[in-house]
Amino acid sequence: MDRRMVTITVNGREVTAPAGGRLLDVLRGLGLDIPTLCHDDRLTPYGGCRLCVVERKDGRGGMVPACSTPVQRGMVVETRTPAVVAARQNNLQLLLLDHRMECPVCERSGDCRLQELVYLYGTPEERLPFERAERPRDESSPVIVRDPEKCILCGKCVRLCDEVQGVAEIGLVGRGLDAAVTTLLGRPLDCEFCGQCVNACPVGALIARPFATEVPAWLRERRTTVCSWCSCGCELEAELYEGRIVRVTARPGSEPNDGMLCVKGWLGWDVLESPERLTRPLVRREGRLVEASWEEALGAAAAGLARAMETGREAAVLATPRLLIEDALLLRRLMEGVQGTARTGIGPEAGLEALASGVAPVFGQPASTATLEDVDAADMVLVLRGDPGRTHPLVKNVLVRRTRQRGLPFALAAAFTAGLERHAAPFLHLRPGTETALLAFLGRALDLEGRLDRTVEGFGAWRESVERCTAEWAAGVTGVPEATLARLAEALSAARKVSLVLVTGRGIPGNEAAAARAAACLSVALGEGSGLLVLPEKSNLVGCLRTGLARDRAADVLEAALAGRVGWLYLVGQDPAGAWPRSMPGREALESAEFVVVQDAFLTETARAADVVLPAAILIEREGTGIGPEGTLRTYHRIVAPPAGVLQDGVIVRELARLAGVRLPGPEIVAAETAALAGARGGPVRLAALEVTVAEPPGEGFLLDPSPQVFHSGSTTTHSARLTGLSPGIAVRMAPADAEAAGLGNGDAVRLVTDGREVLLRARIDRRVRPGTLLVPWRNREDAASRLVGEDGVWISVQLRRS
Amino acid sequence: MSTVSSELSEQGERAFFGACVQGGGEPIDPEAYRIVDRWIERNPGGRERLIPLLHAVQEHLGYLPFPVQEYVAERLGLSPIEVYGVVSFYHFFTTTPRGRYQLKVCMGTACFVNNAQTICDVVGDLLGIGVGEVTEDRLFSLEQVRCIGACGLAPAMMVNDEVHGHLTPNAIRKLVRRLKAAARKEREARKGEADGENEQ
């Protein structure tokens, strides 16, 4: 919003400032150090701590808080008068009255805003005759310790939890000296453990147990990098001591996350120090995997490759899309150098099909056309397939902020959610896998409204393909009432700029490519200003696609292996035997391949069956480049060294290339090629006819929700004791009503049966689970959802039996 | 909506939200939720309706049980802790049960010099409760209040909104008997109504 500029006087100097803007921003913009404790640029102004007071000399107001005073024409403001200083001192003294001062041993010493301000301003000499109230520490949470005796009631934690995280687990309760931040009824914290509250606490009232350290702030080294858990790519700041991470935070203002993290980005880094990490290469000798030197292991891998070439078989690689661009480029070059026809692919990864075969035919490239900023600013947003709070927490934060702080709505259409539906308007509780039908209906409805751009190429064929998708039909397929469908169509029709967001994640039911194509078509037809943001699961899927590494589909590689044509199979961060859907014959393919090399950080199911296992660096142990969902380059810094004996993927690839006699380009050339991959690249845009298939309604039973869970869902998180400690574990979570009806209590053993497959699990009652749904983590284990899920995209209904 | 008994969470395990620790998990009159529903139906709007709605609920129930606060939160799209934040902020709202008849003995100057303390003690002894407490059957609760502006009637006491003056121990005994009888009648009438409904 453009604001009229007006003239105000600050400390005797005339300056121009936007009328109605925040006075605090103007003063800070002038380089003045205005102290605040309760203010956070990410939150609506609060005016609680009264430290930002300044003196108005234009006869209106006297002392005013700069954080919640709008700029007005002709304002005269003084920021350094004795009265201002005295007011700040008094306010600090009042805060200190009820603050347990143990600065020398406080965990936040040296990094405490209150300490800093008391140092800067001092407090009046006179002591006030009040006793500090005694309040017990809350140690009930495994993660966050709350110390009300240090709390200054700035309310930042409460407001972040509500306005940004959308959870509102904690609140300010009581009044005056009795006021305290607490949960309802003082229950143990039962939240998403995003750490937003802890990171924003200006004092030592909130401490993360895993980071409770005896290392003072000034001895910690701060390093910044990009989080590589999911594709959001948040910037995080790790604090290190003796080379180990002792604390993780994010700075407000950081790109793209503005100081926000999720539980994984905050706490999940103990995976790096997992005792299960592979630290030495393994080679198979007399049928057993034994430790070997890098020289021996690489030699064995190269010898296996040479044998495959001699016998005229194929070489193939399947890599993880967490691979950084430089490493992926080298890997592709290695394979090309080994064999012109070598198969290269990335695994059956969430988001791969959505981009490669879903949106690419429409957009002319496998990429998104909307950015997170577009989503933030759009008039209306439609989120499809899942709750980003489970898969892409930063996107959830952006959605919550736009609606809670600015009143901009978003719609959520998904079968399985985790709380975001409370903020969605409207929320469409879809039957699993019916997003395409919803989008087809929306296409027809919006065109009937005259909202769509009919000049787009292919419009006619697309329009014809959605002709039968009436509201009545869509309601029947999706299970969403016609009135709700109409409400969504109306909201989209009225919006000038629409952002569609397509969530992907392992286990989310439905055909992601079909949904992506339908969403891409709709976003194009909505015209200028509208777009689609596809959220892949893994951090560098878009980057890996652009390197050309994903030339072959994983299924084709498996097929070639099963046919006995693959003589050398190189699996980089892929675990076909343990983590892939059971509909894909990963284990069988491994057995059929002549020689298998696995490069991973852990001894996965696949690694156990390999001929050579090479230990690789992961996540923030790596240096290189990635590309986010929006097409922007991200630079990953190695902020902790991998365990001794562990190498980064690219280094391993170079060594293999040397032994295989393949010349790889030098670092400068790789860097130039990497840089060239950035940016959005448009192709000819063309709508395509939709194939709207309607899934068979499931039989009687519960809906199985195997989609990702925020605490941990996959293979790597399994090795984080902190994350697995927070997650409900391998259990089937169900609504209280369903448990009651089945006569089940927490911890009871149950059998889940579907289509001849069966798992035995413990029951866990969880009010977050919708009645009729059973939530089962995927996990790469025999006793979890991966065992129940047949083919991806199948709407699974399961029977619940007492065991 | 029913209350579910609390399950103690083990270390590191998620607390079970449905657990409503409320006076030993005693059940809430389902009528409480209907009061909320009816009020919301009659008063369209958004989250700004919280305080008037809480007033309406407390008027009917005499207090704001936590499960009802959670229900209010759900219906208004707020989080339960936001609702409790408001409830705990305002002195008027209470989360401890009050009696069907809230007895407020005036301790203002005029009453005080007319033996208000004795009146209070008699009421307390008669009901077997102290100041700030409620009888087990939830029929009576006892409070002391500042001047109620009925000095001419000292010693005086309020029963809900009604003032009773010139109190003597005997008058109090009679009053309590009358109130108990009225409550009995009320209960029977409600029971008959419910049976009638069940038969339909």
Side-chain angles (χ1 to χ4, degrees):
Chain A
M1 203 189 340
D2 281 336
R3 282 185 158 138
R4 207 161 38 87
M5 298 301 280
V6 294
T7 304
I8 65 170
T9 310
V10 176
N11 295 341
R13 216 173 103 200
E14 286 203 345
V15 295
T16 53
R22 195 151 56 198
L23 181 59
L24 180 69
D25 296 342
V26 176
L27 300 179
R28 285 189 169 166
L30 294 171
L32 296 168
D33 182 16
I34 308 295
T36 53
L37 280 169
C38 74
H39 179 74
D40 191 312
D41 278 332
R42 299 169 294 174
L43 297 169
T44 42
Y46 188 59
C49 72
R50 299 282 155 175
L51 281 175
C52 64
V53 286
V54 293
E55 209 174 342
R56 269 187 86 163
K57 296 281 199 184
D58 49 59
R60 292 182 59 187
M63 288 291 180
V64 295
C67 72
S68 43
T69 301
V71 170
Q72 287 172 317
R73 176 194 297 278
M75 248 180 167
V76 180
V77 173
E78 294 283 337
T79 69
R80 291 183 281 227
T81 61
V84 166
V85 172
R88 288 179 185 161
Q89 285 179 337
N90 283 330
N91 289 338
L92 282 169
Q93 185 184 24
L94 289 171
L95 289 176
L96 289 179
L97 267 180
D98 209 27
H99 179 79
R100 188 172 88 247
M101 262 200 283
E102 51 169 35
C103 303
V105 293
C106 178
E107 269 131 307
R108 288 295 297 274
S109 191
D111 179 32
C112 170
R113 191 76 180 125
L114 182 61
Q115 187 183 40
E116 190 181 296
L117 291 179
V118 172
Y119 198 103
L120 277 169
Y121 286 89
T123 57
E125 299 229 329
E126 232 178 293
R127 292 252 159 248
L128 291 172
F130 289 106
E131 285 293 313
R132 189 171 55 73
E134 275 186 30
R135 305 162 210 267
R137 269 159 76 104
D138 173 10
E139 308 239 16
S140 60
S141 159
V143 176
I144 297 170
V145 177
R146 297 185 297 139
D147 191 339
E149 293 190 351
K150 287 187 189 164
C151 178
I152 55 167
L153 298 175
C154 69
K156 269 163 89 170
C157 53
V158 170
R159 289 174 290 139
L160 278 163
C161 193
D162 177 27
E163 287 178 30
V164 174
Q165 198 63 19
V167 171
E169 172 73 2
I170 46 176
L172 267 171
V173 164
R175 190 166 18 119
L177 275 176
D178 293 330
V181 174
T182 176
T183 56
L184 192 67
L185 296 169
R187 294 168 185 162
L189 273 178
D190 180 19
C191 63
E192 297 175 357
F193 295 104
C194 61
Q196 247 76 276
C197 55
V198 177
N199 284 338
C201 183
V203 295
L206 292 170
I207 296 292
R209 253 182 227 275
F211 300 144
T213 165
E214 281 154 27
V215 185
W218 52 88
L219 291 183
R220 299 180 216 144
E221 182 195 350
R222 285 165 185 255
R223 289 192 201 165
T224 302
T225 190
V226 178
C227 174
S228 37
W229 279 116
C230 79
S231 62
C232 290
C234 297
E235 185 188 284
L236 61 83
E237 197 168 88
E239 296 174 16
L240 295 104
Y241 182 69
E242 294 182 332
R244 295 183 60 221
I245 294 176
V246 293
R247 185 166 175 242
V248 175
T249 61
R251 246 178 332 99
S254 63
E255 292 283 346
N257 49 320
D258 200 6
M260 292 170 295
L261 289 176
C262 72
V263 66
K264 285 184 204 153
W266 185 44
L267 297 178
W269 306 108
D270 60 331
V271 285
L272 305 178
E273 295 181 5
S274 162
E276 290 152 40
R277 279 291 294 266
L278 291 170
T279 55
R280 294 200 63 191
L282 307 172
V283 294
R284 192 164 293 279
R285 286 209 187 100
E286 290 155 15
R288 288 179 53 228
L289 279 177
V290 294
E291 290 195 348
S293 67
W294 272 102
E295 206 179 348
E296 286 171 291
L298 288 166
L305 176 60
R307 245 192 333 275
M309 296 301 101
E310 280 161 22
T311 53
R313 305 228 208 155
E314 293 176 18
V317 65
L318 286 172
T320 169
R322 281 214 177 109
L323 211 57
L324 298 177
I325 291 177
E326 290 85 347
D327 300 346
L329 281 171
L330 290 174
L331 184 57
R332 199 199 79 205
R333 290 294 180 86
L334 166 71
M335 299 308 285
E336 284 169 357
V338 163
Q339 192 178 46
T341 56
R343 293 178 187 271
T344 66
I346 53 185
E349 296 289 343
L352 176 60
E353 291 302 322
L355 286 165
S357 57
V359 308
V362 182
F363 293 156
Q365 54 159 344
S368 296
T369 52
T371 64
L372 199 53
E373 278 161 21
D374 295 334
V375 172
D376 189 41
D379 302 315
M380 185 66 194
V381 177
L382 171 59
V383 183
L384 295 150
R385 295 192 80 238
D387 181 339
R390 285 167 76 160
T391 49
H392 301 83
L394 176 60
V395 178
K396 189 269 273 273
N397 292 144
V398 167
L399 292 167
V400 170
R401 278 176 84 174
R402 58 174 265 139
T403 178
R404 289 285 286 113
Q405 299 183 335
R406 285 175 286 143
L408 293 172
F410 70 90
L412 174 63
F416 305 121
T417 57
L420 191 59
E421 71 277 12
R422 285 200 312 272
H423 303 277
F427 166 54
L428 292 85
H429 189 214
L430 297 183
R431 290 201 186 114
T434 59
E435 288 81 4
T436 310
L438 172 70
L439 289 160
F441 152 75
L442 287 173
R444 180 178 184 274
L446 291 174
D447 187 47
L448 290 177
E449 291 274 315
R451 170 66 180 79
L452 301 184
D453 175 4
R454 293 183 175 169
T455 64
V456 190
E457 201 189 325
F459 188 89
W462 169 79
R463 180 63 182 80
E464 208 184 305
S465 69
V466 300
E467 181 48 37
R468 69 188 170 96
C469 305
T470 62
E472 193 189 344
W473 171 87
V477 174
T478 61
V480 176
E482 274 186 55
T484 314
L485 292 172
R487 219 181 119 206
L488 174 62
E490 221 168 88
L492 292 174
S493 179
R496 201 166 53 85
K497 290 182 178 176
V498 175
S499 285
L500 304 180
V501 178
L502 189 92
V503 175
T504 73
R506 191 173 58 177
I508 294 180
N511 182 336
E512 65 168 46
R517 177 166 314 183
C521 287
L522 185 64
S523 75
V524 169
L526 280 163
E528 192 73 27
S530 296
L532 166 67
L533 177 62
V534 177
L535 298 171
E537 189 171 57
K538 299 258 165 76
S539 53
N540 193 30
L541 181 71
V542 173
C544 283
L545 278 175
R546 292 195 182 179
T547 61
L549 185 67
R551 212 177 54 186
D552 296 275
R553 294 182 62 232
D556 297 336
V557 174
L558 287 192
E559 199 188 304
L562 286 170
R565 295 201 302 273
V566 174
W568 195 74
L569 180 60
Y570 187 16
L571 295 161
V572 181
Q574 283 294 350
D575 181 12
W580 290 12
R582 291 170 73 83
S583 58
M584 299 188 80
R587 191 180 292 275
E588 296 78 354
L590 284 180
E591 281 160 15
S592 309
E594 183 72 25
F595 196 92
V596 178
V597 179
V598 168
Q599 193 161 302
D600 212 311
F602 297 97
L603 193 63
T604 59
E605 285 292 303
T606 301
R608 285 175 207 279
D611 296 289
V612 172
V613 181
L614 306 170
I618 50 170
L619 303 168
I620 53 175
E621 296 167 346
R622 304 170 305 161
E623 189 86 35
T625 313
I627 295 181
E630 314 164 335
T632 44
L633 278 191
R634 295 167 175 167
T635 306
Y636 293 81
H637 299 291
R638 163 187 292 203
I639 58 170
V640 279
V646 173
L647 302 175
Q648 187 169 330
D649 300 292
V651 178
I652 302 173
V653 169
R654 279 196 185 277
E655 283 303 303
L656 273 175
R658 189 176 55 80
L659 293 172
V662 176
R663 273 185 65 95
L664 293 182
E668 302 81 20
I669 296 172
V670 174
E673 284 184 12
T674 301
L677 294 178
R681 291 171 289 169
V685 174
R686 183 184 305 125
L687 297 192
L690 300 186
E691 278 179 43
V692 187
T693 50
V694 179
E696 280 291 305
E700 289 281 296
F702 289 88
L703 285 181
L704 179 73
D705 174 2
S707 28
Q709 303 174 27
V710 69
F711 292 108
H712 89 99
S713 53
S715 40
T716 311
T717 42
T718 307
H719 301 283
S720 163
R722 292 180 196 154
L723 295 177
T724 51
L726 282 173
S727 84
I730 310 180
V732 50
R733 288 196 273 158
M734 61 182 79
D738 288 339
E740 202 178 324
L744 290 169
N746 264 332
D748 285 352
V750 287
R751 281 188 302 144
L752 303 189
V753 185
T754 181
D755 208 11
R757 297 180 293 268
E758 177 177 326
V759 293
L760 183 71
L761 289 165
R762 298 253 165 226
R764 178 151 293 280
I765 301 165
D766 190 333
R767 51 106 187 169
R768 290 178 188 79
V769 180
R770 237 165 233 285
T773 299
L774 299 178
L775 209 152
V776 181
W778 181 282
R779 299 272 292 229
N780 45 350
R781 292 270 291 261
E782 287 297 291
D783 52 359
S786 54
R787 199 181 157 90
L788 287 172
V789 175
E791 283 168 63
D792 267 359
V794 175
W795 178 355
I796 305 146
S797 82
V798 294
Q799 307 295 320
L800 186 66
R801 298 193 188 144
R802 270 193 80 105
S803 189
Chain B
M1 186 103 183
S2 62
T3 55
V4 185
S5 65
S6 164
E7 181 209 50
L8 280 181
S9 60
E10 302 151 40
Q11 176 78 15
E13 297 210 338
R14 329 294 315 278
F16 171 36
F17 184 85
C20 299
V21 192
Q22 165 72 45
E26 71 181 78
I28 305 297
D29 183 357
E31 177 62 15
Y33 302 103
R34 286 197 285 273
I35 290 166
V36 176
D37 289 337
R38 278 200 297 271
W39 192 93
I40 283 180
E41 232 167 80
R42 279 199 308 271
N43 300 275
R47 47 199 287 149
E48 74 285 350
R49 291 177 292 176
L50 175 62
I51 289 178
L53 173 54
L54 291 175
H55 271 287
V57 175
Q58 185 162 305
E59 202 181 302
H60 279 85
L61 300 181
Y63 75 117
L64 296 166
F66 284 102
V68 179
Q69 288 183 43
E70 291 184 306
Y71 187 66
V72 165
E74 192 191 315
R75 290 299 316 262
L76 293 187
L78 296 160
S79 78
I81 189 72
E82 278 176 282
V83 173
Y84 182 57
V86 169
V87 168
S88 67
F89 184 86
Y90 291 104
H91 188 77
F92 175 80
F93 293 129
T94 173
T95 57
T96 49
R98 297 285 159 88
R100 164 73 183 78
Y101 299 111
Q102 296 174 35
L103 311 185
K104 294 169 197 159
V105 179
C106 179
M107 302 301 280
T109 312
C111 292
F112 189 82
V113 298
N114 273 292
N115 281 328
Q117 190 57 56
T118 312
I119 295 298
C120 192
D121 292 345
V122 168
V123 177
D125 289 348
L126 197 59
L127 299 173
I129 54 173
V131 173
E133 289 179 353
V134 61
T135 55
E136 232 164 69
D137 58 3
R138 291 275 174 84
L139 213 47
F140 299 98
S141 56
L142 178 59
E143 282 164 84
Q144 291 183 337
V145 294
R146 300 291 155 84
C147 183
I148 58 173
C151 304
L153 304 177
M157 166 171 90
M158 287 185 76
V159 178
N160 295 344
D161 296 332
E162 210 174 281
V163 179
H164 295 257
H166 302 306
L167 292 174
T168 60
N170 234 342
I172 291 169
R173 267 189 285 275
K174 265 190 210 154
L175 175 63
V176 167
R177 243 197 326 270
R178 197 156 51 73
L179 293 174
K180 277 185 177 166
R184 201 162 38 239
K185 232 187 240 165
E186 217 174 81
R187 225 179 7 248
E188 274 156 15
R190 212 174 328 144
K191 193 164 170 286
E193 218 171 88
D195 289 346
E197 262 173 41
N198 289 343
E199 278 160 26
Q200 280 167 11

